[in-house]
Structure formats: C-alpha cells, structure tokens
Amino acid sequence: MKKISWAILGAARVNEKLIPAIINSKQGELVAIGSRRKNAAEECVKKYAQEYTESIKCHTGFELILNSMEIDAIYIPLSNEEHTETALRAINNKKHVLIEKPMAIKSQEVGLLIDAAKRNNVRIMEGFMYVFHPQFDRIQNIINSSILGEINYAHSMFSFPIQAARHYRINRAIKNGGGALWDIGPYAIHTIRSCFKENPIRVYGQSKLNEHGADISTTGMIDFGLNKKATFDISFECVRRSEFEVFGKNGRLKCPLVWQPDNLPAKIIYSTEKSGLKEEVVPTANHFDLEIDHFNAAIIQDKKLKLSSEDAIWNSKTLEAIQKSILTKEWVTL
Ligand SMILES: NC(=O)c1ccc[n+]([C@@H]2O[C@H](COP(=O)([O-])OP(=O)(O)OC[C@H]3O[C@@H](n4cnc5c(N)ncnc54)[C@H](OP(=O)(O)O)[C@@H]3O)[C@@H](O)[C@H]2O)c1
C-alpha cells in the first residue's frame, strides 16, 4: 500500500503530538524534520520519537526538505506570519501541505495558497485538529437536530498564562502575527463560526497590548446579522479556559473542554425546557491522530477534506477584521 512520506518544517512544541500521529498512522510515515535552529530537529526527534532517530532525517534549514522528491506532504507549525512563504514554496514543489491555524494572517494570502494548490494539484488544509474529535461532530449533530432552536448566541473562552520561555510569541505587533488573536483566537472564532449558517457581517475587538503591540488579552463581538451574535474572550494572562457555550430559543449547550480534551473524556452538557439537563460523555479520542488519518486518506483516496478552502478564507477574513477593529477601536464591516 502506498504510504504518504511526511516532513515537518519547524521544531515546534506541538510536534510532541504530530510526530506520534504521523508515525503511528497506517497510511503515512515521517521521513524528515527541519529546523532553522542548529540541532533543534535532532532534539525534537530524540524527545518525541526516540526509536526513530535512524529513520527520520534531521536538517538545519528547510531547503533540502522543500526540494526533496521523496517527500509527499509537509506539516507547517511555524510562527503565524511565516506560513505563507513556506507553504507556497512547498505547494509549488508539488507537496501537499497541512498548515497550522491560522493558514495565513492575511485573507489575500490564504487566497494565494488556495490558488497555488489548485494549480499544482495538491491538497492543503488548515490545522484545526479539534474538528476531528468526535466531540465536534456530536455538537454539530445536537445543533443541527434543532432541539436547541435556531442558534442566536454563542460564546467562547480560551486562555492560559503564557510562560516566560514562550515570550517569543508575543515579541512582535499583532499586525505582524504576534499575540493571542493569531495564536489562540483562531480556535475561539472558528468554533463560534461553526455554529452559525451565516458568515459574520461585522466585528468588534478590544485588546490589552504589550510594549511590542502584541495582544495579551482580547475580548470581542461578532455580529452575524438577523439578530445572531457571539462574544469571545482570549487571554495569555488568565487561568486556563477552553470553553464554549451556544444558545438557541429552546435550549443551551456547553462544552467545558472544547480544544484540549487531550486524554480526558470530553463532556457535552445541554438542556432544553422539554428534556431538562443532559450530560453526555464523549469517549477519549486523539484528534491529532484523527487529523493525520483524514489528511492521508484525502490524498490517497482523493476524498473531500473536512475543512474547506472557503472556511479558511472566512477564518482569516474574520480575524483580519477583528485585528483592524482592535487597532481602530471601531466596528469593522466584512
Ligand atoms: N503546543 C501545543 O500543544 C499545540 C497544540 C495544538 C496546536 N498548536 C498549534 O501549533 C502551532 C505551533 O505551536 P507551538 O506551541 O508548537 O509553537 P512553538 O513551539 O512556539 O514553535 C513554533 C515555531 O517557532 C520556532 N521555535 C520553537 N521554539 C523556539 C524558540 N525557543 N525560539 C525561537 N523560535 C522557536 C520553530 O521553528 P524553527 O525550529 O525553525 O526555529 C517552530 O516551528 C500554533 O499554531 C499552535 O496554536 C500547538
């Protein structure tokens, strides 16, 4: 059976999850890792895939990987503002690319990536791993069943205190990809968007910026029109929260661990006037493994991707508009 040969560009912390996901996938194998920092790729393999130090090639820099004819697919967990340039090079070298969220920090760049992928006949996908957890489909299922009534309000909260060692993520202005909006904001916004059939029509955001102009905390509103709205709160200086709540005329649904169920069973709590309070436990699942299996299958069996290009464009359009609102202190129409 044909296996997808994967490489990773960037010795990122998330590789702790992605390296085992690729190695253990039935249809994929990890053949290389590159990092711009000397010995960082080797350290990464030693840490997360000790038994594979012989088979995974480690490189300083990305050139050899991008030009290799052996590699079919590339995972990009680089800093937000670095996604476009690296992904474009990979796509133009006929590689399928899984790009961490946000796909790019400008919607116009997302458009460039999508066009390049079409021209080169390769698949690209934004890395929202949480949609591959069975919890996501169950939430959609409850919303689509109409028991809550038409959804008219949603709220999401994502936060954790950022450690000093990670301060390189907040050392540049928000417009250059630094801060919470581009880091954890994509999850909070994507989850909200997935509950409404409409696209946002206008947004408002307010932030606490640090001395570099990166947002440390952002609170915002998204107006979907037709009296449907959402609020979100993201922060690098608040206790850990990974929560989401959605409301309709007839009921409400809450998900206390939406993006980080990790090895814990995920819980969905919902209530309607008719049914009373219900609590469902979704069995433990590894959404990183499921994401890689999905991407491999899409390539090999030419299957439709769960996350569409249109979705990636609307994510970045919404985030871009919130960024503009933060900087202008005004509502921004999309
Ligand atoms: N961490 C998680 O558990 C997790 C979970 C889900 C999703 N994600 C997503 O995955 C993406 C990457 O997150 P991450 O936490 O893994 O990022 P990260 O560790 O900060 O790494 C991002 C990039 O920064 C460079 N880098 C790493 N350590 C560095 C350091 N000490 N100094 C300077 N540069 C460094 C690396 O490139 P070079 O090696 O080329 O320098 C790396 O590719 C984000 O979009 C995040 O939201 C993360």
Side-chain angles (χ1 to χ4, degrees):
M1 187 181 69
K2 157 83 182 145
K3 278 195 169 192
I4 303 293
S5 293
W6 280 86
I8 299 178
L9 295 182
R13 199 172 47 156
V14 67
N15 290 347
E16 180 179 6
K17 313 281 187 189
L18 266 294
I19 289 178
I22 297 171
I23 287 177
N24 297 329
S25 64
K26 281 205 185 80
Q27 294 182 294
E29 58 184 346
L30 183 60
V31 298
I33 300 190
S35 168
R36 288 141 320 165
R37 287 165 298 132
K38 204 162 180 251
N39 298 328
E42 287 83 351
E43 288 302 318
C44 205
V45 175
K46 263 193 230 152
K47 230 165 145 184
Y48 306 134
Q50 214 170 15
E51 325 80 272
Y52 294 84
T53 44
E54 300 284 310
S55 59
I56 302 172
K57 285 184 196 147
C58 293
H59 301 275
T60 303
F62 300 157
E63 289 306 310
L64 286 171
I65 290 178
L66 285 166
N67 294 324
S68 165
M69 300 298 285
E70 276 172 33
I71 290 160
D72 306 309
I74 290 189
Y75 170 60
I76 299 186
L78 298 171
S79 299
N80 308 319
E81 68 282 7
E82 295 177 323
H83 292 177
T84 306
E85 190 191 337
T86 314
L88 263 183
R89 290 192 57 202
I91 293 166
N92 287 329
N93 280 341
K94 311 276 180 216
K95 319 252 175 264
H96 307 280
V97 192
L98 173 61
I99 310 170
E100 260 309 330
K101 38 48 58 188
M103 190 175 271
I105 61 167
K106 293 193 172 93
S107 51
Q108 184 238 352
E109 292 180 7
V110 175
L112 288 179
L113 293 172
I114 292 167
D115 291 346
K118 274 188 200 143
R119 270 201 316 277
N120 287 283
N121 197 24
V122 293
R123 313 301 291 272
I124 58 167
M125 189 174 83
E126 191 169 24
F128 280 114
M129 74 306 178
Y130 83 102
V131 307
F132 298 98
H133 196 287
Q135 173 177 242
F136 179 83
D137 286 346
R138 183 60 190 135
I139 293 170
Q140 294 299 310
N141 185 265
I142 294 171
I143 291 174
N144 292 335
S145 76
S146 305
I147 58 167
L148 307 178
E150 196 168 5
I151 302 305
N152 47 35
Y153 177 62
H155 178 61
S156 62
M157 298 188 287
F158 198 170
S159 62
F160 52 85
I162 195 164
Q163 294 163 8
R166 322 292 291 171
H167 279 187
Y168 59 87
R169 293 166 81 140
I170 50 171
N171 67 1
R172 59 208 179 284
I174 189 170
K175 64 178 184 348
N176 297 323
L181 181 70
W182 291 112
D183 198 320
I184 49 181
Y187 293 117
I189 307 305
H190 188 265
T191 309
I192 284 173
R193 284 189 45 250
S194 68
C195 303
F196 293 92
K197 294 188 174 62
E198 301 76 14
N199 284 318
I201 59 165
R202 59 180 194 143
V203 298
Y204 182 80
Q206 197 174 45
S207 299
K208 174 179 169 186
L209 301 177
N210 70 3
E211 69 276 24
H212 305 289
D215 65 313
I216 303 303
S217 298
T218 291
T219 305
M221 286 184 260
I222 306 178
D223 184 353
F224 289 87
L226 308 167
N227 208 23
K228 297 179 184 189
K229 48 202 165 304
T231 50
F232 65 91
D233 187 69
I234 53 175
S235 176
F236 280 149
E237 57 178 8
C238 189
V239 66
R240 190 168 278 281
R241 295 170 299 167
S242 180
E243 296 178 30
F244 162 69
E245 207 160 1
V246 63
F247 301 80
K249 197 175 168 192
N250 305 326
R252 62 197 286 178
L253 176 151
K254 183 176 173 135
C255 188
L257 270 181
V258 61
W259 307 292
Q260 297 159 305
D262 284 330
N263 295 323
L264 301 168
K267 233 186 249 172
I268 302 172
I269 304 152
Y270 62 99
S271 65
T272 66
E273 274 180 24
K274 271 192 194 155
S275 69
L277 189 71
K278 295 214 174 202
E279 190 174 303
E280 277 185 20
V281 177
V282 182
T284 311
N286 184 320
H287 47 203
F288 297 100
D289 292 357
L290 295 166
E291 176 184 44
I292 293 298
D293 288 346
H294 177 82
F295 200 66
N296 284 337
I299 298 169
I300 294 177
Q301 286 133 36
D302 199 23
K303 283 191 178 161
K304 193 175 167 207
L305 288 167
K306 188 167 185 174
L307 290 158
S308 68
S309 301
E310 172 85 351
D311 188 50
I313 290 209
W314 271 100
N315 282 329
S316 86
K317 267 189 185 177
T318 311
L319 287 155
E320 222 176 358
I322 295 168
Q323 173 186 278
K324 190 170 174 194
S325 169
I326 292 165
L327 299 175
T328 59
K329 301 188 188 331
E330 289 181 352
W331 280 90
V332 170
T333 302
L334 279 98

